[in-house]
């Protein structure tokens, strides 16, 4: 009887995996079927020479390069803003917090992780309006507001992965440096954090993916059409998720819709590249920790 149940569970697991793989394959295949035909250099750079566009000598008016650049700047700014705060909070939760303080912070981070992105976008828009009215009439929804809003959105992922990565380290790793006379701070800096970098990086991967795909936040806090490459943190910008939403909801002919599918493929490619890079770094750190415990 137990063997029968085990066989049924294995069969169900295999079926779920095949269904999931099939669904992903169908989605990706549909995107390539609809958008692969428009993936050319002129889709990205339009009539502008690629080198002039990359060196910012000429503005791209009819290509996806400004949206790709805006997405890249937005993701980098958001992740690098959230990373030090998330690392510090995760280390505090793992190594210093205790008792009621730990429960309160854990509950708060769980609530923060469950807040819908549209609410965070509305909050960022409200901050922009407040700053515009009370500090400077030159402050509008911009790259800075969008980056800070997205950093607030992905902060719980970095905090939780940092905390779990530190807490799951073996006792031998945690206690060896302390037994040799190291202080708690030295143990965290030179032993615990380096040994848990592989796990911490998974939180960064989640943050990159969430920042790259979110539309609700950027739609309310600074992303607009035809803004060009952002010149500063206080300027509006273009982003691939917003472009995809804009084209799919207001296209006027089949070619414009096809460019939306092409933009989806490019966004998928950017995310895949970032995930693969993070995965390779994660594997390298895990291998280094294995040989240098």
């Amino acid at each position: 009887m137990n063997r029968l149940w085990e066989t049924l569970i294995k069969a169900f697991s295999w079926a779920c995996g095949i269904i999931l793989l099939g669904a992903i394959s169908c989605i990706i295949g549909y995107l390539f079927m609809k958008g692969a035909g428009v993936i050319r250099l002129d889709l990205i750079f339009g009539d502008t020479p690629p080198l002039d566009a990359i060196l910012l000598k000429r503005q791209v008016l009819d290509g996806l390069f400004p949206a790709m650049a805006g997405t890249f700047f937005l993701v980098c700014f958001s992740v690098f803003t959230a990373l030090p705060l998330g690392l510090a909070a995760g280390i505090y939760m793992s190594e210093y917090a205790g008792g009621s303080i730990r429960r309160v912070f854990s509950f708060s981070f769980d609530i923060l992780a469950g807040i819908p992105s549209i609410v965070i976008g509305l909050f960022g828009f409200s901050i922009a309006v407040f700053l515009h009215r009370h500090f400077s009439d030159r402050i509008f929804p911009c790259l800075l507001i969008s980056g800070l809003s997205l950093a607030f959105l992905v902060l719980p992922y970095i905090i939780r992965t940092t905390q779990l990565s530190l807490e799951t380290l073996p006792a031998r790793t945690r206690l060896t440096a302390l037994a040799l006379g190291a202080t708690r701070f030295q143990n965290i800096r030179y032993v615990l954090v380096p040994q848990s970098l592989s796990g911490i990086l998974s939180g960064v991967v989640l943050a990159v993916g969430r920042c790259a795909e979110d539309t609700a936040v950027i739609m309310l806090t600074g992303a607009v059409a035809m803004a060009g490459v952002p010149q500063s943190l206080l300027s509006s910008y273009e982003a691939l998720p917003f472009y995809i939403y804009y084209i799919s909801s207001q296209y006027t002919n089949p070619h414009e819709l096809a460019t939306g599918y092409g933009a989806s493929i490019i966004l998928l490619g950017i995310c895949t590249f970032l995930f693969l890079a993070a995965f390779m770094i994660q594997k390298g750190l895990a291998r280094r920790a294995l040989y240098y415990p």
Side-chain angles (χ1 to χ4, degrees):
M1 189 65 179
N2 292 333
R3 180 171 296 180
L4 176 61
W5 278 107
E6 183 179 355
T7 303
L8 291 175
I9 291 174
K10 287 183 178 180
F12 178 75
S13 301
W14 272 101
C16 291
I18 292 173
I19 292 173
L20 180 60
L21 183 61
I24 295 174
S25 300
C26 289
I27 294 173
I28 296 177
Y30 182 78
L31 286 179
F32 275 91
M33 183 179 65
K34 292 290 188 178
V38 299
I39 301 295
R40 299 184 299 269
L41 278 179
D42 59 349
L43 176 66
I44 300 175
F45 299 104
D47 297 330
T48 306
L51 186 60
D52 290 344
I54 294 173
L55 296 178
L56 303 182
K57 292 182 178 180
R58 292 179 58 184
Q59 184 176 359
V60 178
L61 299 176
D62 52 353
L64 295 178
F65 178 74
M68 295 171 62
T71 302
F72 176 77
F73 292 143
L74 179 66
V75 170
C76 290
F77 178 73
S78 302
V79 172
F80 285 112
T81 299
L83 188 58
L85 296 175
L87 286 176
I91 292 172
Y92 174 79
M93 290 290 294
S94 173
E95 304 300 321
Y96 294 99
S100 58
I101 295 179
R102 185 188 184 94
R103 289 191 294 270
V104 169
F105 276 109
S106 296
F107 182 69
S108 301
F109 294 146
D110 290 339
I111 291 179
L112 180 60
I115 295 178
S117 59
I118 189 68
V119 176
I120 294 180
L122 183 60
F123 176 75
F125 177 76
S126 302
I127 292 296
V129 172
F130 175 82
L131 294 176
H132 177 79
R133 289 182 176 179
H134 295 90
F135 287 91
S136 174
D137 57 0
R138 293 183 297 179
I139 297 178
F140 295 93
C142 57
L143 181 62
L144 176 63
I145 301 297
S146 294
L148 293 177
S149 300
L150 284 177
F152 190 73
L153 181 69
V154 302
L155 197 57
Y157 302 103
I158 300 178
I159 293 173
R160 282 305 191 188
T161 52
T162 301
Q163 179 185 353
L164 292 175
S165 298
L166 290 170
E167 290 178 346
T168 53
L169 289 175
R172 184 185 66 176
T173 302
R174 302 181 64 87
L175 299 177
T176 300
L178 295 175
L180 294 175
T183 63
R184 172 182 273 189
F185 177 76
Q186 290 174 334
N187 188 40
I188 294 172
R189 179 180 178 182
Y190 296 109
V191 179
L192 300 185
V193 172
Q195 290 293 317
S196 58
L197 278 178
S198 177
I200 293 173
L201 195 61
S202 62
V204 177
V205 171
L206 290 174
V208 168
R210 189 69 191 272
C211 290
E213 59 84 20
D214 193 274
T215 306
V217 172
I218 63 176
M219 185 171 59
L220 292 172
T221 57
V224 296
M226 303 300 294
V229 177
Q231 303 298 318
S232 69
L233 290 176
L234 295 179
S235 62
S236 299
Y237 64 96
E238 298 181 47
L240 284 173
F242 179 78
Y243 177 85
I244 295 169
Y245 164 78
Y246 175 80
I247 286 296
S248 61
S249 61
Q250 302 188 32
Y251 68 93
T252 57
N253 56 66
H255 178 72
E256 286 190 357
L257 182 60
T259 60
Y261 286 113
S264 301
I265 296 174
I266 293 175
L267 179 61
L268 183 63
I270 292 174
C271 293
T272 302
F273 171 77
L274 293 174
F275 290 160
L276 288 177
F279 179 76
M280 296 302 295
I281 296 174
Q282 186 179 27
K283 286 295 184 181
L285 292 173
R287 192 178 302 112
R288 180 181 177 183
L290 179 64
Y291 287 111
Y292 301 97

